[in-house]
Amino acid sequence: MEAVTLKVNGMSCGHCVKAIEGSVGELNGVETVKVDLAAGTVAIEYKSEQVSLEKVKKTIDEEGYEIV
């Protein structure tokens, strides 16, 4: 199990939280996704043998948010 916290720009409301937690949470191998709006971060726990960090980042990018 891998754990990573990404700094993400563009998140500002509950919709942002639902968009990211929903889309990333649906990826096979992602165990937990926690958005912290105040800190501008997304904490993710995932199984690296099932999903790559690049796939997680791409999914966040596709939702319209910028990973710093």
Side-chain angles (χ1 to χ4, degrees):
M1 182 82 68
E2 302 287 328
V4 66
T5 300
L6 303 172
K7 183 81 173 157
V8 180
N9 283 340
M11 302 183 302
S12 60
C13 64
H15 171 72
C16 302
V17 173
K18 287 183 179 182
I20 292 175
E21 288 183 352
S23 62
V24 174
E26 289 178 0
L27 294 174
N28 188 33
V30 172
E31 294 294 312
T32 63
V33 183
K34 177 77 172 123
V35 173
D36 184 335
L37 285 178
T41 60
V42 179
I44 305 150
E45 289 184 344
Y46 65 100
K47 296 178 181 173
S48 58
E49 63 275 4
Q50 292 180 309
V51 65
S52 69
L53 180 56
E54 287 308 311
K55 177 65 175 169
V56 171
K57 289 179 176 180
K58 183 178 181 199
T59 301
I60 293 171
D61 183 62
E62 287 172 349
E63 287 295 327
Y65 303 97
E66 177 189 10
I67 298 169
V68 182

